[in-house]
Amino acid sequence: MSAASSAGYPESGAPRTTYAGERVVRETKPAYKTTEMIAYVAAVIATLIASAVVGDDDGGTDRFAADQAWLYVTLLTIGYMISRGLAKSGIRGQGDDTRG
């Protein structure tokens, strides 16, 4: 028989306590519920609208071409993906639970 430690766990093997009633607390919200998602969508829409609204100058050249706007949208997307990755980097997934 193994002796129990002060926390109620046996010295070896799986813990004897059950975790049935515990609530799993997440550190971050889902992406669609965050302010950075709202800011990202607003920035993408504003970039595309600005590209459509800004017209030709007197010389007939487009001052904010569509390819430049889509480059900015791509950069915004990369920044958003990095920010979400950093926000979730310290979170254990549901499959990582090693309890009993």
Side-chain angles (χ1 to χ4, degrees):
M1 181 189 255
S2 64
S5 67
S6 62
Y9 295 104
E11 293 298 323
S12 62
R16 293 185 184 178
T17 10
T18 61
Y19 295 96
E22 285 189 21
R23 200 173 129 196
V24 177
V25 178
R26 299 239 176 245
E27 198 171 314
T28 60
K29 298 178 197 172
Y32 61 88
K33 290 185 177 182
T34 61
T35 54
E36 65 223 15
M37 173 67 171
I38 296 167
Y40 165 72
V41 170
V44 167
I45 291 171
T47 302
L48 296 176
I49 289 174
S51 176
V53 170
V54 173
D56 298 334
D57 61 7
D58 294 336
T61 59
D62 193 0
R63 292 180 287 165
F64 190 22
D67 60 339
Q68 188 178 12
W70 283 108
L71 173 67
Y72 291 148
V73 169
T74 302
L75 295 176
L76 285 168
T77 303
I78 291 169
Y80 176 74
M81 291 172 64
I82 289 172
S83 75
R84 289 307 297 167
L86 290 174
K88 292 188 176 249
S89 65
I91 303 300
R92 292 186 352 195
Q94 290 177 349
D96 295 341
D97 195 4
T98 58
R99 296 181 285 186

